[in-house]
Amino acid sequence: MEFVLLIFLPIVAALFIPFLFKRMKRIHTGWFVLAVPLVLFLYYATYIPSTMDGGHAISELQWIPSLGISFVSYIDGLSLLFSLLITGIGSLVVLYSIFYLDKNKEKLGNFYVYLLLFMSAMLGVVQSDNVISLYLFWELTSISSFLLIGYWYTRDRSRFGALKSMMITVFGGLMMLGGFVLLGIMGDTYSIRELIASAPDFVGHDYFTLALVLLLLGAFTKSAQFPFYIWLPDAMEAPTPVSAYLHSATMVKAGLYLVARFTPIFAFSEVWVWLVTGIGLLTLFWGSLFAVKQTDLKAILAFSTVSQLGLIMSLLGAGAITFHSDDAVFKFAMFAAIFHLINHATFKGSLFMIAGIVDHETGTRDIRKLGGLMSIMPVSFSVAFIGSMSMAGLPPFNGFLSKEMFLQSMVAIRQFELFQFDTWGILFPVIAWIASVFTFVYSFYFVFRTFAGKRKEGQLPQEPHEAPVGMLVSPIILGVLVVGIFFIPNLVAKWLIKPAVAAIQPNLYSQPGDIDIHVAAWHGFKSVELWLTVGVIIVGALLFISLSKWQKVYGLQPAKFSLNALYDGMMSFSEKGMNRISRFYMTGLIRTYMIYIFAFISVAVLVILFTQDAFVVDMDSFAHIGVYSVINAVILLLAVCFVLLSKTRLAAIIALGAVGYSVALFFVIFKAPDLALTQLVIETVSVALFLLAFKHLPALKDHGETVKTKMTNGIVAIGVGITVTLVALSAHSQKLIPSIAQYYKDTVKTEAGGGNIVNVILVDYRGFDTLFEIAVLSIAGIGVLGMIKLRLGRKENSDENK
């Protein structure tokens, strides 16, 4: 079986969800959905032995082979890790949603369709070897996440958050597509594997830096990096299962995947190292600083996610230094990035689920109303404590191990002597330490302000109680993983981390077994990261204890001086600006729109004709113009002028007929009797129809057009005439291929069995064109008939009322 088809399994399953939801009311739809990610997880797990040995698997499904575009599923250590996260966390989220979402109140048919659509899109992103198909799946994640975030579409904040996330991530996706196109131009291929193989040749290319920046825009917007992170807090309006899935382990990790996958191509550039490391560290600091300001549990987790994504991004940037240095510490950085990516998925997924449980069982997420829930919800508190301590970077939890690696990598950066890191690099460990302090604060803030202290009687919308067992299973599993990974990190490294690192750094490792990194919780008293952690705990504890005294500082920032205000202002300005422009040119008059269209076409075509030296006239190819042609041309011009100057409808119709008959005479003069006959028939029928409908046509009126308007119309009309004439002359004089006319002449009798070449073209060679034209005219005729009947009906009703 071509395993590339498994990417589409969730989409295929989604087709049956609405039917199951409607027909199987007594069974929660989530039980049917659960089988999809679970089966996929078990299937992808079978590839672990292969990737551990440095192997990979490829499966291809042709899409547009002529353009080199196809669906290629490439499973190596990196894509396998993400596939396991997508399906593994997906299974736990679906299980959690079964108990979180009421089958009698929620539109589960919609919810699970959107969720499965998103799952397929994410699998496509992490497994695609073709950058065009990767972009297709990338934008599909934006669309499906828009639907998931806006699932409760009757809420204003849900619709706002969905639109905001889509606007920002789709913008990044379009920029990323530009980068992919430039990569395709540089490498003459859309295959990521082939691009990586040719990467050293791209460094000096004119498009290299531009492609780099465009691709990073896509990654930064999707992974909520500064300043694009503003969509993530608003996306918390989604149901908690969506937040636990999209914003802990999947969608926000897509940008990290993109950076990791394209590191072998762009890491040769100092721009890549500086941007990825610098923006990541800035995002870490910014997210941790503002997480403490929030009062909504999911908002706290949203900003904590922003900060943790920044941490991983900075490690990916530091790991890219290995393309310029053999220092073992920087090899450590890439390992730490993948390690923390796994750790973050476990502890953040559990914390989102606990936030949802608190909301579900108390009726609020406002941390100001919470407190004292430890004795009432002991299991939820235990899981929240484990997740929060891991997020704070304390032992014995997995976050401690990867956080120590992070601090070690940031300290080492200041000693890197290229790209001016030896001067500015001192800021990296300082910012990392400060951000770690605030990470400690918001972790304690989340768990202890929710579960410790005294209960605030009367402030909760409902009486709190522990969640049902089914709702606790998923966060408990994640909590067990948080603790378990701390004790068996090297086993996890052997199975998952090292194969992923080997895929990112093919310049260093030919297979995962070459990676000689050993994870340990203790490095001795002389390790710098140990004392940095001690400082984080001491300062963080003091800040948390005194939180009520300094938290008010956040209120000093004016709301209008924020990135959210900038986004709102840009959206408001664009909406109002577009409305003004629309009101300016949307006059409601068809003739005005025709002027716009004709004027634009004339200007565009004439500019191209003369700037590209396309205007060429070959007089030798022209037919001889005799006296009859000149006389007929004069008659034609007089007839056209008479149409324009006519004061009555009858005179205009007669003059219009004269124009048509004059054209037919030209066909006779230039020995084209078939065309002449067709033109005469059409013109006769048209004039007859006009005359038959004469009494129904409105009288000619003076529309009060000013001299300026008439001059504008005249200029546009002359411009169109000149344009058409010049294009006709140039096209006739520059025939790059032989005319098809000779083919018609040779086959009109032998192949089509006709005598009139024009008729044969209309009903044989271009029979389908004629058929569709007739269909269009028939539809228009039916519409006109309906309008006439409607008008007559109104007239009859009016007469009856009188």
Side-chain angles (χ1 to χ4, degrees):
M1 181 185 70
E2 295 288 346
F3 62 81
V4 66
L5 297 176
L6 291 177
I7 293 175
F8 303 98
L9 177 61
I11 291 180
V12 174
L15 299 176
F16 300 95
I17 296 304
F19 172 80
L20 292 172
F21 175 64
K22 290 182 179 180
R23 299 295 180 181
M24 311 290 285
K25 290 288 186 180
R26 290 184 295 178
I27 303 176
H28 196 289
T29 311
W31 290 114
F32 300 106
V33 177
L34 180 59
V36 177
L38 192 57
V39 168
L40 288 174
F41 176 80
L42 295 174
Y43 174 79
Y44 289 127
T46 61
Y47 285 94
I48 292 177
S50 174
T51 57
M52 284 172 54
D53 295 332
H56 62 267
I58 302 175
S59 178
E60 183 175 1
L61 179 66
Q62 291 291 337
W63 183 20
I64 313 176
S66 60
L67 298 179
I69 300 173
S70 57
F71 294 110
V72 180
S73 178
Y74 179 71
I75 296 181
D76 61 357
L78 182 62
S79 58
L80 178 62
L81 169 61
F82 276 88
S83 296
L84 291 173
L85 284 176
I86 293 164
T87 53
I89 300 295
S91 299
L92 295 177
V93 166
V94 172
L95 177 61
Y96 175 80
S97 70
I98 293 172
F99 299 92
Y100 186 87
L101 298 173
D102 192 321
K103 65 179 181 179
N104 298 316
K105 296 180 181 179
E106 301 290 351
K107 296 181 179 180
L108 298 180
N110 295 351
F111 178 81
Y112 287 116
V113 167
Y114 304 156
L115 192 71
L116 290 172
L117 179 64
F118 177 82
M119 190 179 296
S120 272
M122 279 302 305
L123 288 172
V125 166
V126 302
Q127 292 184 25
S128 291
D129 178 63
N130 187 285
V131 293
I132 303 302
S133 60
L134 190 157
Y135 170 74
L136 173 70
F137 287 116
W138 185 277
E139 294 298 35
L140 192 57
T141 64
S142 296
I143 295 171
S144 52
S145 66
F146 168 82
L147 295 171
L148 285 167
I149 295 169
Y151 169 69
W152 284 322
Y153 56 85
T154 56
R155 303 178 184 180
D156 292 340
R157 296 301 304 174
S158 294
R159 296 196 302 272
F160 177 80
L163 179 62
K164 191 173 186 177
S165 68
M166 189 172 187
M167 291 293 292
I168 294 175
T169 56
V170 168
F171 160 76
L174 288 173
M175 297 300 102
M176 183 188 72
L177 177 61
F180 286 164
V181 171
L182 293 179
L183 276 176
I185 293 173
M186 288 188 287
D188 195 28
T189 179
Y190 289 127
S191 169
I192 297 175
R193 289 175 294 117
E194 294 175 7
L195 289 170
I196 291 175
S198 306
D201 301 331
F202 299 159
V203 178
H205 199 283
D206 294 339
Y207 295 154
F208 183 73
T209 302
L210 178 58
L212 181 156
V213 172
L214 291 175
L215 186 135
L216 284 182
L217 281 173
F220 289 164
T221 52
K222 188 71 82 173
S223 283
Q225 298 297 290
F226 185 92
F228 306 108
Y229 73 91
I230 56 174
W231 68 265
L232 187 55
D234 287 298
M236 293 300 108
E237 293 298 325
T240 299
V242 174
S243 301
Y245 191 40
L246 272 66
H247 308 137
S248 68
T250 52
M251 178 176 173
V252 292
K253 297 290 195 337
L256 299 175
Y257 168 81
L258 192 73
V259 171
R261 179 59 80 192
F262 284 86
T263 289
I265 297 176
F266 293 110
F268 296 99
S269 169
E270 64 177 290
V271 178
W272 179 269
V273 177
W274 266 107
L275 282 178
V276 176
T277 310
I279 294 297
L281 207 57
L282 176 59
T283 304
L284 165 64
F285 171 77
W286 195 267
S288 61
L289 180 66
F290 282 92
V292 187
K293 175 185 177 182
Q294 311 307 313
T295 57
D296 183 286
L297 289 180
K298 287 179 69 174
I300 296 170
L301 293 179
F303 276 90
S304 73
T305 299
V306 170
S307 71
Q308 297 296 310
L309 293 172
L311 186 153
I312 300 171
M313 189 69 75
S314 65
L315 284 171
L316 290 173
I321 294 177
T322 56
F323 287 79
H324 308 274
S325 171
D326 295 330
D327 195 323
V329 175
F330 300 119
K331 300 178 184 178
F332 221 55
M334 192 63 73
F335 184 97
I338 300 302
F339 191 20
H340 196 72
L341 186 145
I342 297 173
N343 294 340
H344 178 258
T346 56
F347 68 68
K348 187 56 63 67
S350 66
L351 290 176
F352 267 118
M353 292 179 185
I354 293 301
I357 287 174
V358 171
D359 185 20
H360 196 273
E361 307 307 329
T362 67
T364 183
R365 298 197 308 258
D366 191 336
I367 203 168
R368 295 168 296 185
K369 299 178 181 180
L370 298 170
L373 300 177
M374 186 187 305
S375 59
I376 302 173
M377 307 173 68
V379 179
S380 298
F381 165 71
S382 300
V383 176
F385 179 81
I386 292 171
S388 297
M389 295 306 102
S390 180
M391 185 163 61
L394 299 178
F397 308 105
N398 57 2
F400 169 76
L401 300 175
S402 51
K403 188 264 299 178
E404 293 286 285
M405 292 181 171
F406 163 69
L407 292 175
Q408 184 179 0
S409 300
M410 291 300 106
V411 170
I413 277 186
R414 62 190 177 91
Q415 300 173 356
F416 183 51
E417 297 180 354
L418 290 178
F419 310 150
Q420 298 182 330
F421 272 97
D422 54 340
T423 54
W424 291 99
I426 187 61
L427 295 175
F428 284 67
V430 173
I431 296 173
W433 185 82
I434 295 173
S436 298
V437 169
F438 280 97
T439 299
F440 181 95
V441 175
Y442 70 64
S443 299
F444 274 60
Y445 176 54
F446 175 86
V447 65
F448 289 114
R449 287 296 177 89
T450 303
F451 292 97
K454 296 181 180 179
R455 277 188 60 187
K456 298 178 177 64
E457 300 289 347
Q459 294 192 32
L460 298 179
Q462 62 190 50
E463 187 65 24
H465 54 82
E466 185 59 276
V469 175
M471 197 181 296
L472 290 168
V473 171
S474 293
I476 288 175
I477 292 174
L478 291 171
V480 170
L481 289 174
V482 168
V483 179
I485 291 174
F486 176 83
F487 293 102
I488 54 169
N490 293 297
L491 184 60
V492 176
K494 181 181 178 181
W495 287 356
L496 298 175
I497 301 174
K498 289 183 179 180
V501 173
I504 301 171
Q505 296 177 313
N507 61 311
L508 295 178
Y509 312 111
S510 59
Q511 59 182 1
D514 297 338
I515 303 175
D516 57 354
I517 296 174
H518 181 80
V519 184
W522 178 251
H523 301 283
F525 287 105
K526 294 183 179 181
S527 62
V528 177
E529 57 270 22
L530 171 65
W531 296 107
L532 288 175
T533 299
V534 171
V536 166
I537 295 173
I538 295 173
V539 177
L542 292 173
L543 287 175
F544 175 69
I545 294 170
S546 60
L547 182 60
S548 59
K549 297 180 180 179
W550 60 268
Q551 194 177 26
K552 298 177 182 178
V553 173
Y554 290 106
L556 299 178
Q557 179 197 7
K560 62 181 179 180
F561 297 123
S562 66
L563 291 171
N564 280 306
L566 177 62
Y567 169 83
D568 294 338
M570 291 174 61
M571 292 297 291
S572 176
F573 174 78
S574 61
E575 184 177 346
K576 292 178 180 177
M578 292 303 103
N579 283 336
R580 290 194 191 98
I581 294 174
S582 297
R583 286 195 296 268
F584 172 76
Y585 73 84
M586 295 293 288
T587 62
L589 300 175
I590 295 179
R591 62 177 178 274
T592 304
Y593 304 150
M594 297 303 292
I595 289 174
Y596 297 153
I597 295 171
F598 287 137
F600 174 79
I601 292 175
S602 299
V603 172
V605 172
L606 289 175
V607 168
I608 293 173
L609 270 179
F610 289 101
T611 57
Q612 302 300 319
D613 296 327
F615 178 57
V616 177
V617 178
D618 181 11
M619 301 295 290
D620 296 333
S621 62
F622 290 173
H624 174 70
I625 300 176
V627 63
Y628 296 113
S629 299
V630 174
I631 294 173
N632 194 48
V634 172
I635 295 173
L636 177 62
L637 290 173
L638 291 175
V640 170
C641 293
F642 195 82
V643 172
L644 297 175
L645 300 175
S646 296
K647 298 297 183 180
T648 64
R649 185 75 66 185
L650 180 61
I653 292 173
I654 294 174
L656 190 61
V659 171
Y661 290 126
S662 298
V663 172
L665 284 176
F666 271 121
F667 293 147
V668 173
I669 293 172
F670 292 111
K671 300 178 181 179
D674 293 349
L675 282 174
L677 180 60
T678 304
Q679 177 69 22
L680 287 171
V681 171
I682 292 174
E683 201 59 43
T684 301
V685 172
S686 299
V687 173
L689 288 175
F690 270 125
L691 292 174
L692 287 173
F694 182 81
K695 70 172 185 176
H696 299 291
L697 296 175
L700 286 176
K701 296 180 181 178
D702 184 0
H703 294 284
E705 295 177 334
T706 62
V707 175
K708 180 180 178 181
T709 303
K710 292 180 179 180
M711 288 183 63
T712 302
N713 294 344
I715 293 172
V716 172
I718 293 171
V720 171
I722 293 173
T723 301
V724 173
T725 302
L726 295 182
V727 169
L729 293 175
S730 299
H732 182 76
S733 302
Q734 304 178 79
K735 292 183 179 180
L736 301 179
I737 58 176
S739 172
I740 197 174
Q742 189 60 46
Y743 170 79
Y744 287 151
K745 293 178 182 178
D746 296 339
T747 61
V748 65
K749 287 187 178 181
T750 58
E751 300 291 337
N756 187 316
I757 191 170
V758 177
N759 292 348
V760 171
I761 290 173
L762 292 176
V763 301
D764 194 322
Y765 295 115
R766 296 181 56 191
F768 281 111
D769 288 350
T770 305
L771 177 63
F772 292 139
E773 288 170 2
I774 293 171
V776 170
L777 290 174
S778 299
I779 294 170
I782 293 171
V784 171
L785 179 61
M787 294 172 65
I788 292 173
K789 287 189 174 182
L790 181 63
R791 181 180 178 184
L792 293 175
R794 288 179 178 176
K795 185 177 180 181
E796 291 176 357
N797 292 334
S798 177
D799 294 339
E800 289 177 0
N801 292 332
K802 290 180 179 180

